[in-house]
């Protein structure tokens, strides 16, 4: 028995389409993460302007969670060699990234915040919040669910 974690290859995807969806979702998350990290200080200030419950500390925490979840979702989506636990954690990060953007866009639509940028592409590219952002977040959730279904990391249970 070894104390070191062993990386394993990713299981074969169920369909070719699920692999393509995973690559598309990975591309979107790479663009988001790069844009947000480029001006991360301004990104945290942008989230402060959303008046999230909990104030400034929660805004900074949410900014970190969003960017970390986008980055840590990539190994699963790109079928990298990972330990089984890290593969599951990376898959969960796919869901967290999508859920965070759904929640942020819903928060901006249902509160009376007068913001001019939702922050999907950081602060350099200004995207107005709107119902399109809610539906885009839902589309990210669908991509995450499709990729997770097609590339499920846990072994299948055998029926007795």
């Amino acid at each position: 028995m070894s104390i070191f974690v062993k990386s394993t290859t990713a299981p074969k995807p169920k369909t070719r389409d699920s692999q393509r969806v995973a690559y598309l979702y990975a591309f979107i998350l790479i663009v988001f993460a790069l844009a947000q990290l480029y001006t991360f200080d301004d990104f945290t200030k942008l989230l402060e302007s959303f008046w999230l419950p909990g104030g400034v500390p929660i805004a900074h925490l949410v900014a970190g969670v969003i960017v970390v979840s986008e980055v840590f979702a990539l190994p699963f989506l790109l079928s990298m060699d990972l330990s089984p636990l890290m593969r599951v954690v990376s898959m969960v990060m796919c869901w967290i990234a999508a859920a965070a953007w759904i929640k942020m866009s819903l928060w901006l639509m249902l509160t009376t915040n007068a913001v001019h940028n939702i922050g999907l592409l950081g602060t350099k590219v200004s995207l107005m919040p709107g119902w399109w952002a809610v539906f885009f977040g839902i589309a990210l959730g669908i991509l995450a669910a499709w990729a997770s279904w097609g590339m499920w990391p846990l072994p299948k249970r055998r029926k007795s």
Side-chain angles (χ1 to χ4, degrees):
M1 182 170 148
S2 175
I3 61 170
F4 298 108
V5 176
K6 296 198 187 311
S7 65
T8 59
T9 58
K12 295 264 186 199
K14 289 182 183 177
T15 64
R16 177 177 267 168
D17 289 337
S18 62
Q19 184 70 47
R20 290 180 183 151
V21 165
Y23 286 154
L24 172 66
Y25 189 39
F27 175 75
I28 292 169
L29 290 183
I30 288 170
V31 170
F32 284 1
L34 287 176
Q36 292 157 5
L37 285 172
Y38 184 67
T39 57
F40 189 73
D41 292 340
D42 295 333
F43 182 64
T44 58
K45 291 176 186 168
L46 175 69
L47 291 186
E48 288 174 20
S49 71
F50 291 176
W51 294 96
L52 297 173
V56 173
I58 296 299
H60 289 201
L61 178 68
V62 168
V65 166
I66 286 173
V67 173
V68 167
S69 65
E70 290 170 351
V71 170
F72 276 95
L74 296 176
F76 169 74
L77 294 171
L78 298 176
S79 300
M80 294 180 175
D81 289 347
L82 299 170
S83 70
L85 178 62
M86 185 59 197
R87 192 172 312 283
V88 171
V89 168
S90 183
M91 180 182 67
V92 170
M93 290 295 174
C94 294
W95 303 339
I96 291 173
W101 284 115
I102 292 170
K103 189 169 182 173
M104 294 301 280
S105 57
L106 272 174
W107 173 259
L108 289 176
M109 288 307 300
L110 298 177
T111 60
T112 56
N113 292 334
V115 294
H116 300 289
N117 187 4
I118 192 166
L120 287 170
L121 294 173
T123 58
K124 287 294 181 186
V125 178
S126 182
L127 297 172
M128 290 292 291
W131 286 107
W132 72 269
V134 175
F135 293 122
F136 186 75
I138 292 170
L140 291 178
I142 292 170
L143 290 176
W146 192 343
S148 297
W149 167 81
M151 299 171 30
W152 191 255
L154 300 175
K156 296 176 185 166
R157 291 205 262 161
R158 293 184 182 136
K159 293 182 181 179
S160 326

